[in-house]
Amino acid sequence: MSAHKFLVDIHTHVYLPRYANLLRSRSSVPLMRTTTTPAGVSEDRLLILDHEPSGGRPVGPQYWDREEKLKFMDKHGIDVSVVSTANPWLDFLPASEAHTLASELNNDLEAYCATSPSLTSNQYEIKRLYGFGLLPLVPKITTSALLEIVQQISTLPHLRGLIMGTRGIGNGLDDEALDPVWAAIEKAGLVVFLHPHYGVDGKAWGDKDYGHVLPLALGFPFETTTAATRLILSGVFDRFPSLRILLAHSGGTLPALSSRLASCIDHDPVVASKLKHDARYYLGKFYLDAVAYGPEELGFASDVLSRANAYASGATEPRVANRTVGSQRMLFGTDHPFFPPLSATEKWKSVTENLEAIDNVQGWTEEDKAGVRGDNALRLFNLKE
């Protein structure tokens, strides 16, 4: 009888009660407010960006109640989740308040995970919940305050990384002021989950009302693509070669544009001279979630990841894609609790469609697919306790 293969969700969010209460206390975006529906029912609505359609999205206990998270996992056969605070994190707070709240929320998340149920498999025990901590990445924060929080996260046993947005301390993630932070994250062996929030300039979407579609389908992945590219161009991976960064939404459009990026760099000697390798090499430094909803997209992304080492300076190996190699840096995710089904009896499409996509990638073996579903996460986050 074969051993049970874990299904691990690495892209799943929570607004912890302390954070939700902060949002309820606010009068400007981001905020949570209680409204009354036309049917007279009281409803909480979340607004995290200006000009959100329909007065924001309805939210409920699934956003902050751990039992609701576990019920969702049970319904969909998810064994383990690596949970992260959903955007906009602490971006809207002054430095001192962000620093204090980061510390408190990291302790809250550790308790949320540490007191969760456990599973036992092959003589080792594993918790059902682990977490990404929070850094107070806001303007005017001191380097020492950031390093203090990195140290805190590294000592909390059920936090295995940290989530961050794309703005850094105000000048993006390619800001040299973050170098001590990258160094500390690399030394601690933490995984960085890079997640979008701001999208791109809303004027790009025109004047017609398309709801959330353009900002979410295009704006979020474009934001991730830009942030990841700036990291490459700034030489962050040359300075910190062991840094482990997980990109949301399968890396946005970066896999599809990586050769164009390399060509543009080659034709710009000022930029080319700053990097040790061809731009395509650095894509192999990233991990990608498998939240792409289609097998062709996942297969292509794994092709791009697999050829990265062939673009190292001085490499002589042939530049041939190997989907098995690329699959080892891809991990299943659901984006829960966003995009719920319309009926309480339905399963979430973000689960079923992403699992179907993994199942149907041409060129992935059953072992490759099991890796994307969970084995890769067990290794990346060192979850076998």
Side-chain angles (χ1 to χ4, degrees), residues 67 69-78 128 347:
E67 293 309 306
K69 181 70 73 180
L70 291 168
K71 286 179 186 176
F72 163 80
M73 292 167 62
D74 290 342
K75 182 174 183 176
H76 295 86
I78 296 168
R128 297 202 66 190
K347 287 196 172 183

Side-chain angles (χ1 to χ4, degrees), residues 185-240:
I185 291 170
E186 181 187 48
K187 183 178 180 181
L190 297 170
V191 178
V192 175
F193 184 19
L194 179 56
H195 193 290
H197 172 67
Y198 299 97
V200 299
D201 188 343
K203 294 177 182 176
W205 311 134
D207 297 326
K208 293 186 181 297
D209 182 6
Y210 298 120
H212 283 107
V213 173
L214 289 169
L216 289 180
L218 303 184
F220 266 28
F222 288 172
E223 179 187 350
T224 300
T225 301
T226 302
T229 301
R230 287 173 63 178
L231 282 174
I232 292 171
L233 294 175
S234 69
V236 161
F237 293 109
D238 289 335
R239 297 192 296 280
F240 310 104

Side-chain angles (χ1 to χ4, degrees), residues 31 38 112 124 126 155 172 183 186 202 215 217 234 241 254 298 316 337 340 363 374-375:
L31 59 85
Y112 176 100
Y124 67 86
I126 184 170
T155 60
E186 181 187 48
S234 69
L254 185 57
L298 294 179
T316 58
D375 288 350

